[in-house]
Amino acid sequence: QVQLVESGGGLVQAGGSLRLSCVASGRIFGIGAMGWYRQAPGKQRELVARISGGSTNYADSVKGRFTISRDNAKNTVYLQMNSLKPEDSAVYYCNADAVALFSGSSRDYWGQGTQVTVAS
């Protein structure tokens, strides 16, 4: 199976920055797209950013402030978050399309989530 572990969340003041990391491990055959999603209390989970090959996609609300990147050699994806706003507060989840050796097919994997709280 493939496991995703996020880190880097925490409490930050408005206007500050955080860098989230997500490391994939396990019996990995290959990883395709990776992304970050977030869910705030009382709201649906939403896509924040996604990276696949040389292409990236961002939610309009974070465009220009957040940057997604990945280190394929380390099976790691990052989310650099700048100019944070209180409305960015949420649990951030790492997601990956991956093929595990035992699974035989591609599927979505999710991390446990990391809390990001931006003080107003």
Side-chain angles (χ1 to χ4, degrees):
Q1 195 173 2
V2 177
Q3 288 187 304
L4 304 177
V5 180
E6 302 103 329
S7 62
L11 175 65
V12 66
Q13 296 182 66
S17 298
L18 284 174
R19 190 193 192 212
L20 305 183
S21 299
C22 172
V23 181
S25 63
R27 301 183 66 185
I28 303 170
F29 179 78
I31 301 175
M34 300 186 79
W36 290 94
Y37 295 72
R38 67 186 182 189
Q39 187 166 24
K43 294 188 176 182
Q44 293 184 327
R45 181 159 50 188
E46 64 173 345
L47 173 69
V48 177
R50 194 161 181 82
I51 184 166
S52 179
S55 299
T56 57
N57 295 287
Y58 296 93
D60 289 341
S61 60
V62 308
K63 200 171 299 182
R65 300 188 297 119
F66 291 9
T67 302
I68 188 170
S69 61
R70 66 190 293 180
D71 186 336
N72 292 327
K74 297 180 179 179
N75 288 333
T76 302
V77 64
Y78 306 94
L79 185 67
Q80 179 66 48
M81 305 185 294
N82 298 325
S83 302
L84 283 162
K85 305 174 180 179
E87 51 263 45
D88 294 319
S89 297
V91 177
Y92 284 70
Y93 297 92
C94 179
N95 169 262
D97 296 329
V99 179
L101 291 176
F102 75 88
S103 71
S105 62
S106 178
R107 59 155 286 183
D108 286 338
Y109 292 88
W110 294 90
Q112 81 286 356
T114 185
Q115 178 71 50
V116 172
T117 303
V118 184
S120 61

